[in-house]
Coordinates of all heavy atoms in Angstrom, one line a residue:
M1 N 18.8 30.0 5.5 CA 19.4 29.0 4.7 C 20.1 28.0 5.6 O 20.1 28.1 6.8 CB 20.3 29.6 3.7 CG 19.6 30.5 2.6 SD 18.1 29.7 1.9 CE 18.9 29.0 0.5
G2 N 20.9 27.1 5.0 CA 21.6 26.1 5.8 C 20.6 25.1 6.4 O 21.0 24.2 7.2
D3 N 19.4 25.2 5.9 CA 18.4 24.2 6.4 C 18.3 23.0 5.5 O 17.4 22.9 4.6 CB 17.1 25.0 6.5 CG 16.0 24.1 7.1 OD1 16.3 23.1 7.7 OD2 14.8 24.3 6.8
N4 N 19.3 22.2 5.6 CA 19.4 21.0 4.7 C 18.6 19.9 5.2 O 19.1 19.0 5.8 CB 20.8 20.6 4.5 CG 21.4 21.1 3.1 OD1 20.6 21.4 2.2 ND2 22.7 21.1 3.0
R5 N 17.3 19.9 4.8 CA 16.5 18.8 5.3 C 16.6 17.6 4.4 O 16.8 17.7 3.2 CB 15.0 19.3 5.3 CG 14.8 20.4 6.4 CD 13.4 20.3 7.0 NE 12.3 20.6 6.0 CZ 11.2 19.9 6.0 NH1 11.0 18.9 6.8 NH2 10.3 20.3 5.1
V6 N 16.6 16.5 5.1 CA 16.7 15.2 4.3 C 15.5 14.3 4.8 O 15.3 14.2 6.0 CB 18.0 14.5 4.7 CG1 18.1 13.1 4.0 CG2 19.2 15.3 4.3
L7 N 14.8 13.8 3.8 CA 13.8 12.9 4.1 C 14.4 11.5 4.1 O 15.1 11.1 3.2 CB 12.7 13.0 3.0 CG 11.8 14.2 3.0 CD1 10.9 14.2 1.8 CD2 11.0 14.3 4.3
T8 N 14.1 10.8 5.1 CA 14.7 9.4 5.3 C 13.6 8.4 5.4 O 12.7 8.5 6.2 CB 15.7 9.4 6.5 OG1 16.6 10.5 6.4 CG2 16.4 8.1 6.5
C9 N 13.8 7.3 4.7 CA 12.8 6.2 4.8 C 13.2 5.5 6.1 O 14.3 5.1 6.3 CB 13.0 5.3 3.6 SG 12.0 3.8 3.8
V10 N 12.2 5.4 7.0 CA 12.4 4.8 8.3 C 12.6 3.2 8.2 O 13.1 2.6 9.1 CB 11.3 5.0 9.3 CG1 11.2 6.5 9.6 CG2 9.9 4.6 8.8
Y11 N 12.3 2.7 7.0 CA 12.3 1.2 6.9 C 13.7 0.8 6.3 O 14.2 -0.2 6.8 CB 11.2 0.7 6.0 CG 9.9 1.2 6.5 CD1 9.1 2.2 5.9 CD2 9.4 0.6 7.7 CE1 7.9 2.6 6.4 CE2 8.2 1.1 8.3 CZ 7.4 2.1 7.6 OH 6.3 2.5 8.1
C12 N 14.2 1.4 5.3 CA 15.4 1.0 4.7 C 16.6 2.0 4.9 O 17.7 1.7 4.6 CB 15.2 0.6 3.2 SG 15.0 2.0 2.2
G13 N 16.3 3.2 5.3 CA 17.3 4.2 5.5 C 17.7 5.0 4.3 O 18.6 5.8 4.3
M14 N 16.9 4.8 3.2 CA 17.2 5.6 2.0 C 17.0 7.1 2.3 O 16.0 7.5 2.9 CB 16.2 5.1 0.9 CG 16.2 6.0 -0.4 SD 17.5 5.4 -1.5 CE 16.6 4.3 -2.5
E15 N 17.9 7.9 1.8 CA 17.9 9.3 2.1 C 17.6 10.1 0.8 O 18.2 9.8 -0.2 CB 19.2 9.8 2.7 CG 19.4 9.2 4.1 CD 20.6 9.8 4.8 OE1 21.5 10.3 4.1 OE2 20.7 9.6 6.0
Y16 N 16.7 11.1 1.0 CA 16.4 12.0 -0.1 C 16.7 13.4 0.4 O 15.9 14.0 1.1 CB 14.9 11.9 -0.5 CG 14.6 10.6 -1.1 CD1 14.0 9.5 -0.4 CD2 14.9 10.4 -2.5 CE1 13.7 8.3 -1.0 CE2 14.5 9.2 -3.1 CZ 14.0 8.2 -2.4 OH 13.7 7.0 -3.0
P17 N 17.9 14.0 0.0 CA 18.2 15.3 0.3 C 17.2 16.3 -0.4 O 16.6 15.9 -1.3 CB 19.6 15.5 -0.2 CG 20.1 14.2 -0.6 CD 18.9 13.3 -0.8
Q18 N 17.2 17.5 0.2 CA 16.2 18.5 -0.3 C 16.4 18.9 -1.7 O 15.4 19.3 -2.4 CB 16.3 19.7 0.6 CG 15.0 20.6 0.6 CD 15.0 21.6 1.7 OE1 16.0 21.8 2.4 NE2 13.9 22.2 1.9
D19 N 17.6 18.6 -2.3 CA 17.8 19.0 -3.7 C 17.4 17.9 -4.7 O 17.6 18.0 -5.9 CB 19.2 19.5 -4.0 CG 20.2 18.5 -3.5 OD1 19.9 17.4 -3.2 OD2 21.4 18.8 -3.6
T20 N 16.8 16.8 -4.2 CA 16.4 15.7 -5.0 C 15.2 16.3 -5.9 O 14.3 17.0 -5.3 CB 15.9 14.5 -4.2 OG1 16.9 14.1 -3.3 CG2 15.4 13.4 -5.1
P21 N 15.2 16.0 -7.2 CA 14.0 16.4 -8.0 C 12.7 15.9 -7.4 O 12.7 14.7 -6.9 CB 14.3 15.8 -9.4 CG 15.8 15.6 -9.4 CD 16.2 15.3 -8.0
A22 N 11.7 16.7 -7.5 CA 10.4 16.3 -7.0 C 10.4 16.0 -5.5 O 9.6 15.2 -5.0 CB 9.9 15.1 -7.7
W23 N 11.3 16.6 -4.8 CA 11.4 16.4 -3.3 C 10.2 16.9 -2.6 O 9.7 18.0 -3.0 CB 12.6 17.2 -2.8 CG 13.0 16.8 -1.4 CD1 13.8 15.8 -0.9 CD2 12.6 17.5 -0.2 NE1 13.9 15.8 0.4 CE2 13.2 16.9 0.9 CE3 11.8 18.6 0.0 CZ2 13.0 17.3 2.2 CZ3 11.6 19.1 1.3 CH2 12.2 18.4 2.4
G24 N 9.7 16.2 -1.7 CA 8.5 16.6 -0.9 C 7.9 15.4 -0.3 O 8.4 14.3 -0.3
D25 N 6.7 15.7 0.2 CA 6.0 14.6 0.9 C 5.8 13.4 0.0 O 5.9 12.2 0.4 CB 4.6 15.0 1.4 CG 4.8 16.0 2.6 OD1 5.9 16.0 3.2 OD2 3.8 16.7 2.9
K26 N 5.6 13.7 -1.3 CA 5.2 12.6 -2.2 C 6.4 11.7 -2.5 O 6.2 10.5 -2.8 CB 4.7 13.2 -3.5 CG 3.9 12.2 -4.3 CD 3.3 12.9 -5.5 CE 2.6 11.9 -6.4 NZ 3.5 11.0 -7.1
I27 N 7.6 12.2 -2.3 CA 8.8 11.4 -2.7 C 8.9 10.1 -1.8 O 9.2 9.0 -2.2 CB 10.1 12.2 -2.6 CG1 11.1 11.5 -3.5 CG2 10.6 12.4 -1.2 CD1 12.3 12.5 -4.0
L28 N 8.5 10.3 -0.5 CA 8.5 9.1 0.4 C 7.4 8.2 0.1 O 7.5 7.0 0.1 CB 8.5 9.5 1.8 CG 9.9 9.9 2.5 CD1 9.7 10.2 3.9 CD2 10.9 8.8 2.3
T29 N 6.2 8.8 -0.3 CA 5.1 8.0 -0.6 C 5.4 7.1 -1.9 O 5.1 5.9 -1.9 CB 3.9 8.9 -1.0 OG1 3.7 9.8 0.0 CG2 2.6 8.1 -1.1
D30 N 6.1 7.7 -2.8 CA 6.5 7.0 -4.0 C 7.6 5.9 -3.7 O 7.5 4.8 -4.2 CB 7.1 8.0 -5.1 CG 6.0 8.8 -5.7 OD1 4.8 8.4 -5.5 OD2 6.3 9.8 -6.4
H31 N 8.5 6.3 -2.8 CA 9.5 5.4 -2.4 C 9.0 4.1 -1.7 O 9.4 3.0 -2.0 CB 10.6 6.0 -1.5 CG 11.5 5.1 -0.8 ND1 12.5 4.4 -1.5 CD2 11.5 4.5 0.4 CE1 13.1 3.6 -0.7 NE2 12.5 3.6 0.5
I32 N 8.0 4.4 -0.9 CA 7.4 3.3 -0.1 C 6.8 2.2 -1.0 O 6.9 1.0 -0.7 CB 6.3 3.8 0.9 CG1 7.1 4.3 2.1 CG2 5.3 2.8 1.2 CD1 6.3 5.2 3.0
K33 N 6.4 2.6 -2.2 CA 5.8 1.6 -3.2 C 6.9 0.7 -3.7 O 6.6 -0.4 -4.1 CB 5.1 2.4 -4.3 CG 3.9 3.1 -3.9 CD 3.3 3.8 -5.1 CE 2.1 4.6 -4.7 NZ 1.8 5.7 -5.6
V34 N 8.1 1.1 -3.6 CA 9.2 0.3 -4.2 C 10.2 -0.1 -3.1 O 11.1 -0.9 -3.3 CB 10.0 1.0 -5.3 CG1 9.1 1.3 -6.5 CG2 10.6 2.3 -4.8
C35 N 10.0 0.4 -1.9 CA 10.9 0.0 -0.8 C 10.8 -1.4 -0.4 O 9.8 -2.0 -0.1 CB 10.5 0.9 0.5 SG 11.6 0.5 1.9
E36 N 12.0 -2.1 -0.5 CA 12.1 -3.5 -0.2 C 11.8 -3.9 1.2 O 11.3 -5.0 1.6 CB 13.5 -4.0 -0.5 CG 13.8 -4.1 -2.0 CD 12.9 -5.0 -2.8 OE1 12.7 -6.1 -2.3 OE2 12.4 -4.7 -3.9
K37 N 12.0 -2.9 2.1 CA 11.9 -3.2 3.6 C 10.6 -2.7 4.2 O 10.3 -2.9 5.4 CB 13.1 -2.7 4.3 CG 14.4 -3.3 3.8 CD 15.5 -3.2 4.9 CE 16.7 -4.0 4.4 NZ 17.9 -3.6 5.0
H38 N 9.8 -2.1 3.4 CA 8.5 -1.5 3.9 C 7.6 -2.7 4.4 O 7.5 -3.7 3.6 CB 7.8 -0.7 2.9 CG 6.7 0.1 3.5 ND1 5.4 -0.4 3.5 CD2 6.6 1.3 4.0 CE1 4.6 0.5 4.1 NE2 5.4 1.6 4.4
P39 N 7.0 -2.6 5.6 CA 6.1 -3.6 6.0 C 5.0 -3.9 5.1 O 4.4 -5.0 5.1 CB 5.7 -3.2 7.4 CG 6.1 -1.8 7.5 CD 7.1 -1.5 6.5
M40 N 4.6 -2.9 4.3 CA 3.5 -3.2 3.3 C 3.8 -4.4 2.4 O 2.9 -5.1 2.0 CB 3.3 -1.9 2.5 CG 2.1 -2.0 1.5 SD 0.5 -2.4 2.3 CE 0.0 -0.7 2.7
R41 N 5.1 -4.6 2.1 CA 5.5 -5.7 1.3 C 5.0 -7.0 2.0 O 4.4 -7.9 1.3 CB 7.0 -5.8 1.1 CG 7.6 -4.7 0.3 CD 7.5 -5.1 -1.2 NE 7.6 -3.8 -2.0 CZ 6.6 -3.0 -2.2 NH1 5.4 -3.3 -1.7 NH2 6.7 -1.9 -2.8
K42 N 5.3 -7.2 3.2 CA 4.9 -8.4 4.0 C 3.4 -8.4 4.2 O 2.7 -9.4 4.1 CB 5.6 -8.4 5.3 CG 7.0 -8.9 5.3 CD 7.5 -9.0 6.7 CE 9.1 -9.0 6.7 NZ 9.6 -8.6 8.0
L43 N 2.9 -7.2 4.5 CA 1.4 -7.1 4.8 C 0.6 -7.4 3.6 O -0.4 -8.2 3.7 CB 1.1 -5.6 5.3 CG -0.3 -5.4 5.7 CD1 -0.6 -6.2 7.0 CD2 -0.5 -3.9 6.0
R44 N 1.1 -6.9 2.5 CA 0.4 -7.2 1.2 C 0.3 -8.7 0.9 O -0.7 -9.2 0.5 CB 1.1 -6.5 0.1 CG 0.2 -6.5 -1.2 CD 0.8 -5.7 -2.3 NE -0.3 -5.5 -3.2 CZ -0.8 -6.4 -4.0 NH1 -0.4 -7.6 -3.9 NH2 -1.8 -6.1 -4.8
K45 N 1.5 -9.3 1.1 CA 1.6 -10.8 0.9 C 0.6 -11.5 1.8 O -0.1 -12.4 1.4 CB 3.0 -11.2 1.2 CG 3.2 -12.7 1.1 CD 3.4 -13.3 -0.3 CE 3.8 -14.7 -0.3 NZ 2.8 -15.6 0.1
A46 N 0.6 -11.1 3.1 CA -0.3 -11.8 4.1 C -1.8 -11.5 3.7 O -2.6 -12.5 3.8 CB 0.0 -11.2 5.5
L47 N -2.1 -10.3 3.3 CA -3.4 -10.0 2.9 C -3.8 -10.8 1.7 O -4.9 -11.3 1.6 CB -3.6 -8.5 2.6 CG -4.0 -7.6 3.7 CD1 -4.1 -6.1 3.2 CD2 -5.3 -8.0 4.3
A48 N -3.0 -10.9 0.7 CA -3.2 -11.6 -0.5 C -3.5 -13.1 -0.2 O -4.4 -13.7 -0.8 CB -2.1 -11.4 -1.5
D49 N -2.7 -13.6 0.7 CA -3.0 -15.0 1.1 C -4.3 -15.2 1.8 O -5.0 -16.1 1.6 CB -1.8 -15.5 2.1 CG -0.5 -15.7 1.3 OD1 -0.5 -15.6 0.1 OD2 0.5 -15.8 2.0
L50 N -4.6 -14.2 2.6 CA -5.9 -14.2 3.4 C -7.1 -14.1 2.5 O -8.0 -14.9 2.6 CB -5.9 -13.0 4.4 CG -7.0 -12.9 5.3 CD1 -6.9 -14.0 6.5 CD2 -7.1 -11.5 5.9
V51 N -7.0 -13.2 1.6 CA -8.1 -12.9 0.7 C -8.2 -14.0 -0.4 O -9.2 -14.3 -1.0 CB -8.0 -11.5 0.1 CG1 -9.1 -11.3 -1.0 CG2 -8.2 -10.5 1.2
G52 N -7.0 -14.5 -0.8 CA -6.9 -15.6 -1.8 C -6.9 -15.0 -3.2 O -7.2 -15.7 -4.2
A53 N -6.5 -13.7 -3.3 CA -6.5 -13.1 -4.6 C -5.4 -12.0 -4.6 O -5.2 -11.4 -3.5 CB -7.8 -12.5 -5.0
S54 N -4.8 -11.8 -5.7 CA -3.8 -10.7 -5.7 C -3.8 -9.8 -6.9 O -3.4 -8.7 -6.9 CB -2.4 -11.2 -5.4 OG -2.0 -12.1 -6.5
T55 N -4.3 -10.3 -8.0 CA -4.4 -9.5 -9.2 C -5.6 -8.6 -9.2 O -6.6 -8.9 -8.4 CB -4.4 -10.3 -10.5 OG1 -5.7 -11.0 -10.6 CG2 -3.3 -11.3 -10.6
K56 N -5.6 -7.5 -10.0 CA -6.7 -6.6 -10.0 C -8.0 -7.3 -10.4 O -9.0 -7.0 -9.7 CB -6.3 -5.5 -11.0 CG -7.2 -4.3 -11.0 CD -6.6 -3.2 -11.8 CE -7.5 -1.9 -11.8 NZ -8.8 -2.0 -12.5
E57 N -7.9 -8.1 -11.4 CA -9.1 -8.8 -11.8 C -9.7 -9.7 -10.8 O -10.9 -9.7 -10.5 CB -8.8 -9.6 -13.1 CG -8.5 -8.8 -14.3 CD -7.1 -8.1 -14.3 OE1 -6.2 -8.5 -13.6 OE2 -7.0 -7.0 -15.0
E58 N -8.8 -10.5 -10.1 CA -9.2 -11.4 -9.1 C -9.9 -10.6 -7.9 O -10.9 -11.0 -7.4 CB -8.0 -12.2 -8.5 CG -7.6 -13.3 -9.4 CD -6.3 -14.0 -8.9 OE1 -5.6 -13.3 -8.1 OE2 -6.0 -15.1 -9.2
L59 N -9.2 -9.5 -7.5 CA -9.7 -8.7 -6.4 C -11.0 -8.1 -6.7 O -11.9 -8.1 -5.9 CB -8.7 -7.7 -6.0 CG -7.4 -8.2 -5.4 CD1 -6.3 -7.1 -5.4 CD2 -7.6 -8.7 -4.0
E60 N -11.2 -7.6 -7.9 CA -12.4 -6.9 -8.3 C -13.6 -7.9 -8.3 O -14.7 -7.6 -7.9 CB -12.3 -6.1 -9.6 CG -11.5 -4.9 -9.3 CD -11.1 -4.1 -10.6 OE1 -11.3 -4.6 -11.7 OE2 -10.6 -3.0 -10.5
S61 N -13.3 -9.1 -8.9 CA -14.4 -10.1 -9.0 C -14.7 -10.6 -7.6 O -15.9 -10.9 -7.3 CB -14.1 -11.2 -10.0 OG -13.0 -12.0 -9.5
M62 N -13.7 -10.7 -6.8 CA -14.0 -11.1 -5.4 C -14.8 -10.1 -4.6 O -15.7 -10.5 -3.9 CB -12.7 -11.3 -4.7 CG -12.8 -11.9 -3.3 SD -11.4 -12.7 -2.7 CE -11.4 -14.2 -3.6
E63 N -14.6 -8.9 -4.9 CA -15.4 -7.8 -4.2 C -16.9 -7.9 -4.6 O -17.8 -7.9 -3.8 CB -14.8 -6.4 -4.5 CG -15.7 -5.4 -3.7 CD -15.2 -4.0 -3.9 OE1 -14.1 -3.8 -4.4 OE2 -15.9 -3.1 -3.5
V64 N -17.1 -8.1 -5.9 CA -18.4 -8.2 -6.5 C -19.1 -9.4 -5.8 O -20.2 -9.3 -5.4 CB -18.4 -8.3 -8.0 CG1 -19.8 -8.7 -8.6 CG2 -17.9 -7.1 -8.7
T65 N -18.4 -10.5 -5.8 CA -19.0 -11.7 -5.2 C -19.3 -11.5 -3.7 O -20.4 -11.9 -3.3 CB -18.0 -12.9 -5.3 OG1 -17.5 -13.0 -6.6 CG2 -18.6 -14.2 -4.9
L66 N -18.4 -10.9 -3.0 CA -18.6 -10.6 -1.6 C -19.9 -9.8 -1.4 O -20.6 -10.0 -0.4 CB -17.4 -9.9 -1.0 CG -16.3 -10.7 -0.4 CD1 -15.2 -9.8 0.0 CD2 -16.8 -11.4 0.9
R67 N -20.1 -8.8 -2.2 CA -21.2 -7.9 -2.0 C -22.5 -8.6 -2.4 O -23.6 -8.2 -1.9 CB -21.1 -6.7 -2.9 CG -20.0 -5.7 -2.4 CD -19.9 -4.5 -3.3 NE -18.7 -3.6 -3.0 CZ -18.8 -2.8 -2.0 NH1 -19.8 -2.6 -1.2 NH2 -17.7 -2.0 -1.7
L68 N -22.5 -9.7 -3.2 CA -23.7 -10.4 -3.6 C -24.1 -11.5 -2.7 O -25.3 -11.7 -2.5 CB -23.5 -11.0 -5.0 CG -23.4 -9.9 -6.2 CD1 -23.1 -10.6 -7.5 CD2 -24.7 -9.1 -6.3
V69 N -23.1 -12.2 -2.1 CA -23.5 -13.3 -1.3 C -23.9 -12.9 0.1 O -23.5 -11.9 0.6 CB -22.3 -14.3 -1.1 CG1 -21.9 -14.9 -2.4 CG2 -21.1 -13.6 -0.5
P70 N -24.9 -13.7 0.7 CA -25.3 -13.3 2.0 C -24.1 -13.6 3.0 O -23.3 -14.5 2.7 CB -26.5 -14.3 2.3 CG -26.4 -15.3 1.2 CD -25.5 -14.9 0.1
G71 N -24.1 -12.9 4.1 CA -23.0 -13.2 5.0 C -23.1 -12.1 6.1 O -23.9 -11.2 6.1
I72 N -22.2 -12.3 7.1 CA -22.2 -11.3 8.2 C -21.6 -10.0 7.7 O -20.5 -10.0 7.1 CB -21.4 -11.8 9.4 CG1 -22.0 -13.2 9.8 CG2 -21.3 -10.8 10.5 CD1 -21.0 -14.0 10.7
E73 N -22.3 -8.9 7.8 CA -22.0 -7.7 7.2 C -20.6 -7.2 7.7 O -19.8 -6.7 6.9 CB -23.0 -6.6 7.6 CG -23.2 -5.5 6.5 CD -23.5 -6.1 5.1 OE1 -24.2 -7.1 5.0 OE2 -23.0 -5.4 4.2
Q74 N -20.3 -7.4 9.0 CA -19.0 -6.9 9.5 C -17.9 -7.7 8.9 O -16.8 -7.1 8.6 CB -19.0 -7.1 11.0 CG -17.9 -6.5 11.7 CD -17.8 -5.0 11.5 OE1 -18.8 -4.3 11.5 NE2 -16.6 -4.4 11.3
D75 N -18.0 -9.0 8.7 CA -17.0 -9.8 8.0 C -16.7 -9.3 6.6 O -15.6 -9.3 6.1 CB -17.4 -11.3 8.0 CG -17.3 -11.9 9.4 OD1 -16.8 -11.2 10.3 OD2 -17.7 -13.0 9.5
K76 N -17.8 -9.0 5.9 CA -17.7 -8.5 4.5 C -17.0 -7.2 4.5 O -16.1 -7.0 3.6 CB -19.1 -8.4 3.9 CG -19.8 -9.6 3.6 CD -20.7 -9.4 2.5 CE -22.1 -9.9 2.8 NZ -23.1 -9.6 1.7
I77 N -17.3 -6.3 5.4 CA -16.6 -5.0 5.4 C -15.1 -5.2 5.6 O -14.3 -4.6 4.9 CB -17.2 -4.1 6.5 CG1 -18.6 -3.7 6.2 CG2 -16.3 -2.8 6.7 CD1 -19.4 -3.1 7.3
V78 N -14.7 -6.1 6.5 CA -13.3 -6.3 6.7 C -12.6 -6.9 5.5 O -11.6 -6.4 5.0 CB -13.1 -7.3 7.9 CG1 -11.7 -7.8 8.0 CG2 -13.5 -6.7 9.2
A79 N -13.3 -7.8 4.8 CA -12.7 -8.4 3.6 C -12.7 -7.4 2.5 O -11.7 -7.3 1.7 CB -13.6 -9.6 3.2
I80 N -13.7 -6.6 2.3 CA -13.7 -5.5 1.3 C -12.6 -4.5 1.5 O -11.9 -4.1 0.6 CB -15.1 -4.9 1.1 CG1 -16.0 -6.0 0.5 CG2 -15.1 -3.7 0.3 CD1 -17.5 -5.6 0.5
N81 N -12.4 -4.1 2.8 CA -11.3 -3.2 3.1 C -10.0 -3.8 2.8 O -9.1 -3.1 2.2 CB -11.4 -2.8 4.6 CG -12.5 -1.8 4.9 OD1 -13.0 -1.2 4.0 ND2 -12.8 -1.7 6.2
A82 N -9.8 -5.1 3.0 CA -8.6 -5.7 2.7 C -8.4 -5.7 1.2 O -7.3 -5.5 0.7 CB -8.6 -7.2 3.2
I83 N -9.4 -6.0 0.4 CA -9.4 -6.0 -1.0 C -9.0 -4.6 -1.5 O -8.1 -4.4 -2.4 CB -10.7 -6.4 -1.6 CG1 -10.9 -7.9 -1.4 CG2 -10.8 -6.0 -3.1 CD1 -12.3 -8.4 -1.7
H84 N -9.6 -3.6 -0.9 CA -9.2 -2.2 -1.4 C -7.8 -1.8 -1.0 O -7.1 -1.2 -1.8 CB -10.2 -1.2 -0.7 CG -11.5 -1.2 -1.3 ND1 -12.6 -0.5 -0.8 CD2 -12.0 -1.9 -2.4 CE1 -13.7 -0.7 -1.6 NE2 -13.3 -1.5 -2.5
A85 N -7.3 -2.3 0.1 CA -5.9 -2.1 0.5 C -5.0 -2.7 -0.6 O -4.0 -2.2 -1.0 CB -5.6 -2.6 1.9
L86 N -5.4 -3.9 -1.0 CA -4.5 -4.6 -2.0 C -4.6 -3.9 -3.3 O -3.6 -3.8 -4.0 CB -5.0 -6.1 -2.1 CG -4.7 -7.0 -0.9 CD1 -5.5 -8.3 -1.0 CD2 -3.2 -7.3 -0.9
L87 N -5.8 -3.5 -3.7 CA -6.0 -2.8 -5.0 C -5.1 -1.5 -5.0 O -4.6 -1.2 -6.1 CB -7.5 -2.5 -5.2 CG -8.3 -3.6 -5.7 CD1 -9.8 -3.2 -5.7 CD2 -7.9 -4.0 -7.1
E88 N -5.1 -0.8 -3.9 CA -4.3 0.5 -3.9 C -2.8 0.3 -3.9 O -2.1 1.2 -4.2 CB -4.7 1.2 -2.6 CG -6.0 1.9 -2.7 CD -6.6 2.3 -1.4 OE1 -5.8 2.4 -0.4 OE2 -7.8 2.6 -1.3
T89 N -2.4 -0.9 -3.6 CA -0.9 -1.2 -3.6 C -0.5 -2.0 -4.8 O 0.7 -2.5 -4.8 CB -0.5 -1.8 -2.3 OG1 -1.3 -3.0 -2.1 CG2 -0.7 -0.9 -1.1
I90 N -1.3 -2.2 -5.8 CA -0.9 -2.9 -7.0 C 0.1 -2.1 -7.8 O -0.1 -0.9 -8.0 CB -2.2 -3.3 -7.9 CG1 -2.8 -4.5 -7.3 CG2 -1.7 -3.5 -9.3 CD1 -4.1 -4.9 -8.0
Ligands
ZN101 ZN1 12.7 2.4 2.1

């Protein structure tokens, strides 16, 4: 005992002591979704600007379009990966 582990967000310094309800690996994953200082916030904005879409509907229709139009396969994969990254962080 005496092993008081604390999970700390490396971005904003938010601390989750071991007695926090639902404490575990998932608590930081959940926190990151709402963390104001997580780089994903900035990254997501940059990606959304790059892809030109940010809502689920826009992103999904963009992916369909991307898959249908001819183009360089490698470029499409990059764009589709970006779309998936955005969809996962909605
Ligand atoms: Zn944080």
Side-chain angles (χ1 to χ4, degrees):
M1 298 309 270
D3 181 23
N4 255 341
R5 293 214 292 143
V6 178
L7 289 171
T8 308
C9 173
V10 294
Y11 305 107
C12 71
M14 174 83 90
E15 291 185 346
Y16 290 99
Q18 202 164 8
D19 56 7
T20 305
W23 191 88
D25 289 343
K26 197 172 177 294
I27 204 162
L28 276 184
T29 313
D30 287 346
H31 167 76
I32 277 165
K33 290 180 187 157
V34 296
C35 177
E36 289 296 318
K37 298 202 175 160
H38 192 271
M40 181 59 87
R41 290 277 157 280
K42 280 185 198 157
L43 185 64
R44 191 177 198 290
K45 173 82 171 70
L47 268 181
D49 289 350
L50 184 76
V51 172
S54 63
T55 68
K56 190 170 183 289
E57 290 72 24
E58 283 175 338
L59 289 164
E60 283 173 352
S61 67
M62 181 158 288
E63 180 177 351
V64 171
T65 308
L66 266 173
R67 288 183 187 277
L68 290 174
V69 295
I72 302 162
E73 211 54 35
Q74 191 59 39
D75 287 351
K76 285 206 231 177
I77 291 166
V78 170
I80 287 167
N81 282 343
I83 287 170
H84 285 175
L86 288 167
L87 282 170
E88 280 162 20
T89 54
I90 278 174

